[in-house]
Amino acid sequence: EARFSESGGGSVQAGGSLVLSCTASGYSFTAPSCVGWFRQAPGKERELVATIYTQTSSTDYADSVKGRFTLSVDMAKNTLDLRMNSLKPEDTAMYYCEAHGPRNPLGGRCSRVSARYPYRGQGTQVTVSS
């Protein structure tokens, strides 16, 4: 059974940085698949943060985080890491690691819809104060 555990969340001031890490058991991030991070703020729907297609390392970022966040897979540790710089109060949310999602057969981009990822962790809270 695949299990995912997120870590690295916390409270920071605006402009600060955090690194979120997702550790998988029963699942290998080396397998060709779409994996990524999604987030959900109170009263809002879950939204894309970033995805990566592990076979090609092709990434996709939400416009709101582009240039500030970096997604990568550590094959040796079997973790999915999200480096977040220049954090803003609007980045405050619960962040979820999600895996094994589909790719768009036409453009090749990973799905941006959280519901299409069958695996996810319990989440880690990120709070950014102004």
Side-chain angles (χ1 to χ4, degrees):
E1 181 182 359
R3 293 182 182 271
F4 299 85
S5 177
E6 300 97 334
S7 62
S11 297
V12 296
Q13 290 191 325
S17 299
L18 287 172
V19 179
L20 305 185
S21 188
C22 174
T23 301
S25 60
Y27 185 90
S28 174
F29 285 122
T30 62
S33 180
C34 289
V35 296
W37 288 87
F38 290 75
R39 68 187 182 187
Q40 188 167 18
K44 294 188 177 181
E45 297 207 353
R46 194 166 299 180
E47 64 177 7
L48 166 79
V49 176
T51 61
I52 186 169
Y53 181 57
T54 57
Q55 189 170 31
T56 62
S57 298
S58 176
T59 53
D60 179 34
Y61 294 92
D63 288 344
S64 59
V65 307
K66 206 170 289 184
R68 299 188 297 123
F69 292 10
T70 303
L71 181 64
S72 61
V73 175
D74 187 322
M75 298 294 187
K77 297 180 180 178
N78 199 35
T79 60
L80 180 67
D81 301 322
L82 183 69
R83 297 183 179 276
M84 307 187 296
N85 296 322
S86 303
L87 283 161
K88 303 176 181 180
E90 50 263 45
D91 294 319
T92 295
M94 185 71 80
Y95 283 69
Y96 297 90
C97 168
E98 304 194 357
H100 211 63
R103 297 175 74 201
N104 184 321
L106 296 178
R109 191 171 67 181
C110 289
S111 174
R112 289 183 155 206
V113 179
S114 172
R116 303 195 70 190
Y117 289 73
Y119 300 130
R120 70 176 52 84
Q122 294 298 309
T124 185
Q125 177 68 37
V126 172
T127 303
V128 184
S129 58
S130 58

